[in-house]
Protein backbone atom coordinates (compact mmCIF):
# COMPACT_ATOMS: atom_id res chain seq x y z
CA UNK A 1 0.00 0.00 0.00
CA UNK A 2 1.34 3.45 -0.92
CA UNK A 3 0.64 6.73 0.86
CA UNK A 4 0.69 10.39 -0.07
CA UNK A 5 0.03 13.68 1.67
CA UNK A 6 -3.46 15.16 1.54
CA UNK A 7 -2.91 18.71 0.21
CA UNK A 8 -5.88 20.05 2.19
CA UNK A 9 -4.03 19.20 5.41
CA UNK A 10 -1.71 22.13 4.67
CA UNK A 11 -4.49 24.69 4.71
CA UNK A 12 -3.22 25.38 8.24
CA UNK A 13 0.37 24.48 9.11
CA UNK A 14 3.31 25.51 11.26
CA UNK A 15 7.07 25.10 10.86
CA UNK A 16 9.21 22.41 12.51
CA UNK A 17 13.03 22.79 12.32
CA UNK A 18 14.71 20.20 10.06
CA UNK A 19 17.23 19.44 12.84
CA UNK A 20 14.41 17.96 14.93
CA UNK A 21 13.85 15.20 12.35
CA UNK A 22 17.41 14.88 11.08
CA UNK A 23 19.23 14.61 14.41
CA UNK A 24 16.84 14.49 17.38
CA UNK A 25 13.79 12.39 16.61
CA UNK A 26 15.47 9.06 17.46
CA UNK A 27 16.57 10.38 20.85
CA UNK A 28 13.44 12.30 21.83
CA UNK A 29 10.80 10.63 23.96
CA UNK A 30 7.08 10.78 23.25
CA UNK A 31 6.67 13.45 25.93
CA UNK A 32 9.51 15.57 24.54
CA UNK A 33 8.08 15.41 21.00
CA UNK A 34 4.57 16.34 22.18
CA UNK A 35 5.87 19.28 24.21
CA UNK A 36 7.93 20.55 21.26
CA UNK A 37 5.08 20.26 18.74
CA UNK A 38 2.50 21.82 21.08
CA UNK A 39 4.87 24.70 21.88
CA UNK A 40 5.66 25.37 18.20
CA UNK A 41 1.95 25.31 17.32
CA UNK A 42 1.16 27.89 20.02
CA UNK A 43 4.19 30.17 19.79
CA UNK A 44 2.01 33.28 19.81
CA UNK A 45 0.99 32.50 23.39
CA UNK A 46 4.63 32.08 24.46
CA UNK A 47 6.38 29.00 25.81
CA UNK A 48 5.11 28.64 29.35
CA UNK A 49 5.52 25.48 31.45
CA UNK A 50 2.12 25.80 33.12
CA UNK A 51 0.25 26.44 29.86
CA UNK A 52 1.98 23.50 28.16
CA UNK A 53 1.27 21.22 31.13
CA UNK A 54 -2.43 22.11 31.12
CA UNK A 55 -2.74 21.82 27.35
CA UNK A 56 -1.10 18.40 27.22
CA UNK A 57 -2.21 16.99 30.55
CA UNK A 58 1.39 16.54 31.73
CA UNK A 59 3.00 17.34 35.06
CA UNK A 60 4.93 20.62 35.03
CA UNK A 61 8.12 18.78 35.99
CA UNK A 62 7.83 16.54 32.89
CA UNK A 63 7.25 19.61 30.72
CA UNK A 64 10.28 21.34 32.27
CA UNK A 65 12.48 18.29 31.59
CA UNK A 66 11.22 18.14 27.99
CA UNK A 67 11.93 21.84 27.48
CA UNK A 68 15.46 21.33 28.84
CA UNK A 69 15.98 18.69 26.16
CA UNK A 70 14.95 21.09 23.38
CA UNK A 71 16.98 23.92 24.91
CA UNK A 72 20.18 21.87 24.80
CA UNK A 73 19.22 20.76 21.27
CA UNK A 74 19.04 24.43 20.24
CA UNK A 75 15.37 24.38 19.23
CA UNK A 76 14.29 26.65 22.09
CA UNK A 77 16.14 29.40 23.95
CA UNK A 78 16.64 29.74 27.68
CA UNK A 79 16.95 33.31 28.97
CA UNK A 80 17.35 34.45 25.36
CA UNK A 81 20.57 32.51 24.73
CA UNK A 82 20.88 29.59 22.35
CA UNK A 83 22.85 26.60 23.58
CA UNK A 84 23.00 24.58 20.39
CA UNK A 85 26.43 23.25 19.40
CA UNK A 86 27.07 24.24 15.79
CA UNK A 87 28.11 21.24 13.63
CA UNK A 88 30.88 23.24 11.99
CA UNK A 89 32.34 24.52 15.24
CA UNK A 90 35.93 23.36 15.79
CA UNK A 91 36.40 20.62 18.36
CA UNK A 92 37.82 22.10 21.57
CA UNK A 93 41.35 21.15 22.54
CA UNK A 94 40.98 18.03 24.67
CA UNK A 95 42.09 18.18 28.28
CA UNK A 96 43.23 14.88 29.70
CA UNK A 97 42.52 15.74 33.34
CA UNK A 98 38.96 14.91 34.32
CA UNK A 99 36.85 17.25 36.45
CA UNK A 100 36.73 16.86 40.20
CA UNK A 101 33.66 15.93 42.23
CA UNK A 102 33.29 19.60 43.11
CA UNK A 103 33.40 20.54 39.43
CA UNK A 104 30.68 18.01 38.68
CA UNK A 105 28.47 19.34 41.47
CA UNK A 106 28.95 22.96 40.40
CA UNK A 107 28.33 22.30 36.72
CA UNK A 108 25.24 20.24 37.53
CA UNK A 109 23.89 23.05 39.68
CA UNK A 110 24.65 25.86 37.23
CA UNK A 111 23.94 24.33 33.80
CA UNK A 112 20.55 22.80 32.88
CA UNK A 113 22.21 20.99 29.97
CA UNK A 114 24.53 19.12 32.33
CA UNK A 115 21.62 18.33 34.67
CA UNK A 116 19.73 16.95 31.69
CA UNK A 117 22.72 14.80 30.66
CA UNK A 118 23.06 13.35 34.16
CA UNK A 119 19.32 12.73 34.48
CA UNK A 120 19.14 10.89 31.14
CA UNK A 121 22.29 8.89 31.97
CA UNK A 122 20.82 7.85 35.33
CA UNK A 123 17.69 6.65 33.55
CA UNK A 124 19.83 4.62 31.17
CA UNK A 125 21.91 3.08 34.00
CA UNK A 126 18.80 2.57 36.13
CA UNK A 127 20.48 4.05 39.21
CA UNK A 128 22.34 7.10 40.49
CA UNK A 129 25.59 7.78 38.69
CA UNK A 130 28.83 6.79 40.35
CA UNK A 131 31.45 9.49 40.82
CA UNK A 132 33.71 8.23 37.99
CA UNK A 133 30.71 7.94 35.64
CA UNK A 134 29.60 11.53 36.26
CA UNK A 135 33.12 12.93 35.89
CA UNK A 136 33.69 11.00 32.64
CA UNK A 137 30.39 12.15 31.10
CA UNK A 138 31.10 15.77 32.05
CA UNK A 139 34.66 15.43 30.69
CA UNK A 140 33.35 14.12 27.37
CA UNK A 141 30.93 17.05 27.12
CA UNK A 142 33.01 19.94 28.49
CA UNK A 143 36.57 18.98 27.55
CA UNK A 144 36.25 16.58 24.62
CA UNK A 145 33.54 18.57 22.86
CA UNK A 146 30.94 15.82 22.34
CA UNK A 147 27.38 17.05 21.91
CA UNK A 148 24.94 15.81 24.56
CA UNK A 149 22.81 14.09 21.91
CA UNK A 150 25.88 12.15 20.76
CA UNK A 151 26.72 11.10 24.33
CA UNK A 152 23.16 9.89 24.90
CA UNK A 153 23.26 7.92 21.65
CA UNK A 154 26.53 6.38 22.80
CA UNK A 155 24.93 5.31 26.09
CA UNK A 156 22.06 3.74 24.14
CA UNK A 157 24.54 1.89 21.92
CA UNK A 158 26.49 0.64 24.96
CA UNK A 159 23.25 -0.60 26.52
CA UNK A 160 22.21 -2.40 23.33
CA UNK A 161 25.64 -4.05 23.17
CA UNK A 162 25.34 -5.10 26.85
CA UNK A 163 28.45 -3.00 27.49
CA UNK A 164 26.87 -0.28 29.62
CA UNK A 165 29.98 0.51 31.65
CA UNK A 166 31.97 3.71 31.74
CA UNK A 167 35.14 2.08 30.38
CA UNK A 168 33.37 1.02 27.17
CA UNK A 169 31.66 4.41 26.92
CA UNK A 170 34.93 6.32 27.28
CA UNK A 171 36.88 4.06 24.90
CA UNK A 172 34.18 4.27 22.23
CA UNK A 173 33.77 8.04 22.67
CA UNK A 174 37.49 8.62 22.15
CA UNK A 175 37.40 6.46 19.01
CA UNK A 176 34.52 8.56 17.70
CA UNK A 177 36.36 11.78 18.49
CA UNK A 178 39.43 10.46 16.68
CA UNK A 179 37.20 9.67 13.68
CA UNK A 180 35.91 13.26 13.67
CA UNK A 181 32.37 12.60 14.90
CA UNK A 182 30.53 15.86 15.64
CA UNK A 183 26.84 14.99 15.34
CA UNK A 184 24.26 12.22 15.68
CA UNK A 185 24.33 11.28 11.99
CA UNK A 186 28.08 10.65 12.08
CA UNK A 187 27.74 8.76 15.37
CA UNK A 188 25.05 6.52 13.85
CA UNK A 189 27.44 5.69 11.00
CA UNK A 190 30.08 4.69 13.55
CA UNK A 191 27.55 2.40 15.24
CA UNK A 192 26.58 0.84 11.90
CA UNK A 193 30.26 0.18 11.11
CA UNK A 194 30.87 -1.28 14.57
CA UNK A 195 27.92 -3.67 14.30
CA UNK A 196 29.04 -4.71 10.81
CA UNK A 197 32.58 -5.45 12.02
CA UNK A 198 31.27 -7.31 15.07
CA UNK A 199 29.07 -9.52 12.89
CA UNK A 200 32.01 -10.23 10.55
CA UNK A 201 34.27 -11.22 13.45
CA UNK A 202 31.56 -13.56 14.76
CA UNK A 203 31.55 -15.38 11.42
CA UNK A 204 35.34 -15.70 11.50
CA UNK A 205 35.22 -17.01 15.08
CA UNK A 206 32.77 -19.74 14.10
CA UNK A 207 34.65 -20.70 10.93
CA UNK A 208 38.01 -20.94 12.74
CA UNK A 209 36.62 -22.44 15.95
CA UNK A 210 38.00 -19.55 18.02
CA UNK A 211 36.68 -19.14 21.54
CA UNK A 212 34.63 -15.94 21.75
CA UNK A 213 36.81 -12.95 22.61
CA UNK A 214 37.37 -9.36 21.64
CA UNK A 215 39.48 -9.18 18.45
CA UNK A 216 42.50 -6.96 17.98
CA UNK A 217 42.14 -4.04 15.57
CA UNK A 218 44.06 -6.00 12.93
CA UNK A 219 41.87 -9.10 13.36
CA UNK A 220 38.71 -7.00 13.18
CA UNK A 221 40.06 -5.40 10.01
CA UNK A 222 40.76 -8.79 8.43
CA UNK A 223 37.24 -9.99 9.29
CA UNK A 224 35.65 -6.84 7.86
CA UNK A 225 37.65 -7.22 4.64
CA UNK A 226 36.92 -10.93 4.18
CA UNK A 227 33.22 -10.84 5.03
CA UNK A 228 31.95 -7.39 4.11
CA UNK A 229 34.15 -6.51 1.14
CA UNK A 230 35.19 -9.83 -0.40
CA UNK A 231 31.96 -11.65 0.58
CA UNK A 232 33.84 -14.81 1.58
CA UNK A 233 31.59 -17.70 2.58
CA UNK A 234 31.97 -19.57 5.86
CA UNK A 235 33.04 -22.63 3.87
CA UNK A 236 35.82 -20.68 2.14
CA UNK A 237 37.03 -19.32 5.49
CA UNK A 238 37.09 -22.87 6.89
CA UNK A 239 39.06 -24.09 3.86
CA UNK A 240 41.61 -21.30 4.34
CA UNK A 241 41.88 -22.18 8.03
CA UNK A 242 42.48 -25.86 7.23
CA UNK A 243 45.11 -24.97 4.64
CA UNK A 244 46.88 -22.74 7.15
CA UNK A 245 46.88 -25.33 9.95
CA UNK A 246 48.10 -28.06 7.56
CA UNK A 247 51.03 -25.85 6.57
CA UNK A 248 51.80 -24.16 9.91
CA UNK A 249 50.35 -26.57 12.48
CA UNK A 250 48.62 -23.56 14.06
CA UNK A 251 46.36 -20.64 13.21
CA UNK A 252 48.17 -17.64 11.74
CA UNK A 253 45.92 -14.74 10.75
CA UNK A 254 48.51 -13.18 8.37
CA UNK A 255 48.97 -16.58 6.65
CA UNK A 256 45.20 -17.02 6.30
CA UNK A 257 45.05 -13.46 4.93
CA UNK A 258 47.56 -14.34 2.20
CA UNK A 259 45.62 -17.48 1.27
CA UNK A 260 42.32 -15.62 1.03
CA UNK A 261 43.94 -12.78 -0.90
CA UNK A 262 45.21 -15.28 -3.49
CA UNK A 263 41.84 -17.03 -3.68
CA UNK A 264 39.99 -13.71 -3.99
CA UNK A 265 42.27 -12.67 -6.87
CA UNK A 266 41.53 -16.01 -8.56
CA UNK A 267 37.79 -15.43 -8.16
CA UNK A 268 37.14 -18.36 -5.81
CA UNK A 269 33.90 -18.10 -3.86
CA UNK A 270 33.58 -21.65 -2.48
CA UNK A 271 35.85 -24.65 -1.86
CA UNK A 272 34.17 -26.24 -4.91
CA UNK A 273 35.70 -23.49 -7.08
CA UNK A 274 39.15 -24.34 -5.75
CA UNK A 275 38.65 -28.07 -6.32
CA UNK A 276 37.35 -27.46 -9.82
CA UNK A 277 40.47 -25.44 -10.69
CA UNK A 278 42.72 -28.13 -9.23
CA UNK A 279 41.07 -30.84 -11.31
CA UNK A 280 41.32 -28.70 -14.41
CA UNK A 281 45.00 -28.00 -13.80
CA UNK A 282 45.66 -31.68 -13.11
CA UNK A 283 43.89 -32.72 -16.35
CA UNK A 284 45.87 -30.17 -18.37
CA UNK A 285 49.09 -31.46 -16.85
CA UNK A 286 48.19 -35.03 -17.81
CA UNK A 287 47.30 -33.98 -21.36
CA UNK A 288 50.60 -32.17 -21.71
CA UNK A 289 52.47 -35.18 -20.38
CA UNK A 290 50.63 -37.56 -22.75
CA UNK A 291 51.35 -35.34 -25.75
CA UNK A 292 54.98 -35.15 -24.77
CA UNK A 293 55.18 -38.96 -24.47
CA UNK A 294 53.58 -39.54 -27.88
CA UNK A 295 55.88 -37.05 -29.56
CA UNK A 296 58.89 -38.61 -27.92
CA UNK A 297 57.79 -42.13 -28.97
CA UNK A 298 57.26 -41.08 -32.60
CA UNK A 299 60.65 -39.38 -32.62
CA UNK A 300 62.20 -42.56 -31.31
CA UNK A 301 60.57 -44.61 -34.08
CA UNK A 302 61.72 -42.21 -36.74
CA UNK A 303 65.27 -42.39 -35.48
CA UNK A 304 65.13 -46.16 -35.77
CA UNK A 305 64.15 -45.91 -39.40
Amino acid sequence: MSYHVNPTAFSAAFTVPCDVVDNRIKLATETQLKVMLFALRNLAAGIDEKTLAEGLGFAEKDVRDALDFWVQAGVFLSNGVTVKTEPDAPTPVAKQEKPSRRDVALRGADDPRVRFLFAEAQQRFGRNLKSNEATTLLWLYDDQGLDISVILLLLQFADNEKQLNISFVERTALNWIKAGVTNVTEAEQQITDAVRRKTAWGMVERAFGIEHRRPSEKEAGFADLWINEWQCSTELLKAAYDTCVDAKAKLSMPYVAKILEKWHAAGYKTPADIESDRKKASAEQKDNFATYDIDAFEKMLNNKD
Side-chain angles (χ1 to χ4, degrees):
M1 181 181 294
S2 61
Y3 299 88
H4 61 276
V5 175
N6 182 356
T8 62
F10 286 94
S11 59
F14 62 96
T15 303
V16 176
C18 291
D19 183 64
V20 170
V21 177
D22 293 344
N23 295 319
R24 313 293 172 178
I25 199 166
K26 290 184 180 181
L27 295 172
T29 64
E30 180 182 350
T31 298
Q32 290 162 350
L33 286 171
K34 286 184 176 180
V35 167
M36 183 268 299
L37 291 172
F38 193 88
L40 291 178
R41 173 65 181 87
N42 298 281
L43 278 179
I47 301 176
D48 177 72
E49 293 174 6
K50 186 175 181 181
T51 302
L52 290 171
E54 289 175 352
L56 291 166
F58 292 155
E60 283 190 38
K61 179 183 178 301
D62 293 335
V63 171
R64 191 178 307 115
D65 289 342
L67 289 173
D68 280 345
F69 176 87
W70 295 115
V71 166
Q72 70 86 23
V75 175
F76 297 147
L77 303 178
S78 177
N79 296 325
V81 180
T82 182
V83 295
K84 181 178 179 180
T85 302
E86 294 297 333
D88 296 330
T91 301
V93 177
K95 294 194 298 187
Q96 296 306 314
E97 184 179 348
K98 292 183 181 178
S100 65
R101 278 178 155 186
R102 185 172 180 275
D103 293 330
V104 171
L106 289 174
R107 293 286 284 113
D110 294 341
D111 193 331
R113 296 165 295 183
V114 174
R115 286 200 302 275
F116 174 77
L117 171 61
F118 289 163
E120 291 294 308
Q122 284 180 171
Q123 270 199 332
R124 179 63 64 180
F125 279 97
R127 55 171 171 75
N128 291 332
L129 294 177
K130 297 176 183 177
S131 177
N132 67 319
E133 293 167 344
T135 56
T136 297
L137 292 177
L138 182 59
W139 176 68
L140 290 174
Y141 174 59
D142 272 353
D143 300 326
Q144 302 294 331
L146 278 187
D147 188 78
I148 286 178
S149 60
V150 173
I151 297 174
L152 294 180
L153 182 61
L154 171 52
L155 291 176
Q156 179 183 325
F157 170 58
D159 196 6
N160 291 342
E161 291 293 300
K162 296 182 172 42
Q163 294 278 353
L164 189 54
N165 61 77
I166 205 61
S167 296
F168 177 85
V169 169
E170 180 176 342
R171 182 173 65 250
T172 305
L174 293 178
N175 286 337
W176 287 5
I177 292 168
K178 186 177 178 182
V181 170
T182 60
N183 56 51
V184 169
T185 301
E186 293 168 349
E188 286 175 337
Q189 185 58 54
Q190 289 290 316
I191 291 173
T192 299
D193 291 345
V195 171
R196 184 189 68 183
R197 288 165 71 90
K198 179 182 177 182
T199 302
W201 174 247
M203 291 181 65
V204 170
E205 277 185 329
R206 290 189 292 274
F208 293 176
I210 299 173
E211 187 176 348
H212 180 63
R213 60 174 173 80
R214 183 181 160 195
S216 68
E217 280 298 313
K218 194 168 186 179
E219 288 174 330
F222 279 145
D224 188 38
L225 175 67
W226 300 337
I227 302 298
N228 297 315
E229 291 192 36
W230 291 355
Q231 302 291 311
C232 293
S233 64
T234 302
E235 294 77 13
L236 196 69
L237 292 175
K238 181 67 169 61
Y241 170 82
D242 290 340
T243 302
C244 171
V245 172
D246 288 343
K248 296 284 187 180
K250 64 178 181 178
L251 172 61
S252 168
M253 283 290 192
Y255 194 83
V256 171
K258 288 180 181 177
I259 294 170
L260 289 173
E261 183 179 4
K262 185 190 244 184
W263 289 355
H264 175 70
Y268 298 151
K269 297 295 183 183
T270 66
D273 295 335
I274 302 170
E275 186 61 28
S276 175
D277 248 18
R278 283 178 181 167
K279 288 180 178 178
K280 183 179 177 182
S282 177
E284 288 176 353
Q285 187 176 12
K286 285 180 181 179
D287 288 343
N288 291 336
F289 181 73
T291 302
Y292 172 80
D293 280 356
I294 291 170
D295 290 343
F297 182 67
E298 288 180 349
K299 186 176 180 181
M300 182 182 69
L301 291 176
N302 291 332
N303 287 339
K304 283 186 178 181
D305 292 341

